[in-house]
Each structure stands twice: as structure tokens, then as C-alpha cells.
Amino acid sequence: MKENTYLEKMVMTASPAKLVQMLYEKAVEVLKEAENLLADKKFVEFNEKVTRAQDIITELNLSLDMEKGGTIAQNLRALYNYMFQRLVEGNVKKDVEKIREVRGMLEELLEVWKEAMKKAGNVTPPEKKQGGLNLMG
């Protein structure tokens, strides 16, 4: 229980940039778990983890500012849509390669995001925080 309280506090006080990083990290984590569950033929749990990753990708997609984001936001939207579709296919067909493909893409995005946050100094004003992001589960 203490871990959940700590995580909730982190989410509530994180900048939007940090929340994106946390979403990427959680998606990578649940996809690793999904791969292990599939190897163990635990299909119900596998489905739950892949569905959780799909929810995270949906959240990332919905958080894009298409007006201000320009080409980058458009490219990310296309990438998120592609990843979501690959997860659906991987889940239905129990295809670990599709899951690994998406996990690899998310790992790359995470590294690029971390580097961008360093360069930007992660200076997002606190009043621009977004609510409603659910990292639990």
C-alpha cells in the first residue's frame, strides 16, 4: 500500500514531461511482464498486461497537442496508432515478436524523451500539469 501512495504522490506532483516519461517506463515494464507471461502460457494475465500497455499508448496519444505540436505530434500520433495496432495483433495472435517490436519502440522513445528533458531542463510550468493519468495497475 505504501508503494501505491508514493506513486500517487509522484504522479500528482510530476510535470507533464515527467508524466510522459513515467508512462513510457510503465508501458515498457508491462510489456516485459507480458512477454514472460506468454512464455509461461498464462494467457489471461498476458492479455491484461497487453491491454494495460494499450491503455498507456492511448493516454499518450490523447495527450498530444496537435495544434502546437505540428509535425512531431502528427508523427507521434501515427507511431502510437501503429503501436496500438501491433499490440492488438500481438494479443490476438499471441505473437511475442509484435509485443517485442512495440516494447523496443517504446524503449527508444523513452531514451529520446529523457535526453530531450535534459536538454530542455524540464522547465514545464507547474500550472500546466495534466490530471487524470493513471499509472496504477
Side-chain angles (χ1 to χ4, degrees):
M1 284 299 192
K2 284 187 177 182
E3 185 177 328
N4 282 346
T5 304
Y6 175 74
L7 183 57
E8 285 177 25
K9 187 165 250 167
M10 270 183 43
V11 170
M12 296 305 291
T13 59
S15 68
K18 182 65 175 174
L19 287 173
V20 170
Q21 177 182 336
M22 293 168 72
L23 286 168
Y24 283 145
E25 290 169 345
K26 186 66 174 179
V28 168
E29 176 187 320
V30 297
L31 289 177
K32 283 180 185 176
E33 292 170 3
E35 291 172 34
N36 293 330
L37 290 164
L38 185 58
D40 293 340
K41 300 196 183 321
K42 295 182 178 179
F43 300 119
V44 172
E45 295 91 340
F46 166 78
N47 174 64
E48 290 170 357
K49 295 296 180 181
V50 174
T51 300
R52 182 70 182 119
Q54 289 172 306
D55 291 345
I56 293 169
I57 289 170
T58 297
E59 187 69 48
L60 288 163
N61 205 343
L62 292 173
S63 72
L64 292 172
D65 186 335
M66 299 308 289
E67 288 181 27
K68 293 180 185 172
T71 305
I72 293 172
Q74 291 171 0
N75 290 341
L76 279 171
R77 171 138 304 154
L79 185 59
Y80 291 152
N81 288 340
Y82 174 80
M83 288 190 288
F84 187 93
Q85 186 58 39
R86 295 300 278 180
L87 289 177
V88 169
E89 293 168 8
N91 198 358
V92 170
K93 297 177 182 177
K94 308 297 182 249
D95 184 343
V96 73
E97 290 307 314
K98 288 181 172 68
I99 303 304
R100 283 187 186 134
E101 175 190 7
V102 173
R103 182 173 52 86
M105 296 163 105
L106 287 164
E107 288 170 338
E108 286 183 41
L109 283 170
L110 174 59
E111 291 311 309
V112 169
W113 189 258
K114 285 180 181 178
E115 195 58 38
M117 282 177 49
K118 278 184 201 171
K119 288 181 181 171
N122 193 13
V123 291
T124 307
E127 64 271 11
K128 297 221 177 186
K129 287 182 186 172
Q130 300 172 0
L133 298 179
N134 179 9
L135 298 177
M136 307 313 227

